[in-house]
Amino acid sequence: QVQLVESGGGLVQAGDSLRLSCVASGRAFSTASVAWFRQAPGKEREFVAAVKWGGGLTYYADSGKGRFTISRDNAKNTVYLQMNSLKPKETAVYCCAANAGGDRKKDYNYDYWGRGTQVTVSS
């Protein structure tokens, strides 16, 4: 089983930055992409960013382009999400997920999920 563990969330003020980490373990050799999704209470789960494990191509939701950067370190089995200029509306639980293929922006194409890390942005 693939295990994903997120860290790096916390309470920050609007305009601050955070770097989230997602460490993968287990048999994830067939993973094509790793993505970050977020979900706020009462709202649908939202795609944030994804990175192709082999090659490092990245994909972003329009909301995060120019402010968010996703990267991966294959040797450490870790994916990072650098978030700059955070906004209060981006308060949510952020989860990482791994998939074997398909549309990287669709949550139903991901097979493994972490428990999430809480990001709270105050105004």
Side-chain angles (χ1 to χ4, degrees):
Q1 180 182 0
V2 175
Q3 297 177 341
L4 304 172
V5 180
E6 304 95 335
S7 63
L11 174 63
V12 298
Q13 294 182 334
D16 284 353
S17 298
L18 279 175
R19 188 181 74 162
L20 307 183
S21 298
C22 174
V23 179
S25 62
R27 303 187 69 83
F29 307 110
S30 63
T31 295
S33 299
V34 177
W36 289 94
F37 290 82
R38 65 189 178 198
Q39 187 169 28
K43 301 187 69 176
E44 65 183 6
R45 186 154 54 194
E46 178 185 20
F47 172 80
V48 178
V51 60
K52 190 173 184 294
W53 195 254
L57 294 177
T58 58
Y59 310 83
Y60 297 93
D62 288 342
S63 61
K65 281 190 173 181
R67 297 186 297 117
F68 293 1
T69 303
I70 188 170
S71 61
R72 91 273 186 267
D73 186 335
N74 288 7
K76 296 180 178 179
N77 294 320
T78 301
V79 174
Y80 304 96
L81 181 67
Q82 177 69 42
M83 302 187 292
N84 296 330
S85 301
L86 282 162
K87 305 172 182 179
K89 67 179 181 180
E90 293 171 329
T91 293
V93 174
Y94 285 68
C95 295
C96 64
N99 80 344
D103 189 340
R104 294 175 177 87
K105 297 182 179 181
K106 303 297 185 180
D107 57 3
Y108 53 74
N109 284 320
Y110 288 82
D111 302 309
Y112 303 99
W113 294 82
R115 298 293 298 274
T117 184
Q118 176 71 46
V119 173
T120 302
V121 185
S122 66
S123 59

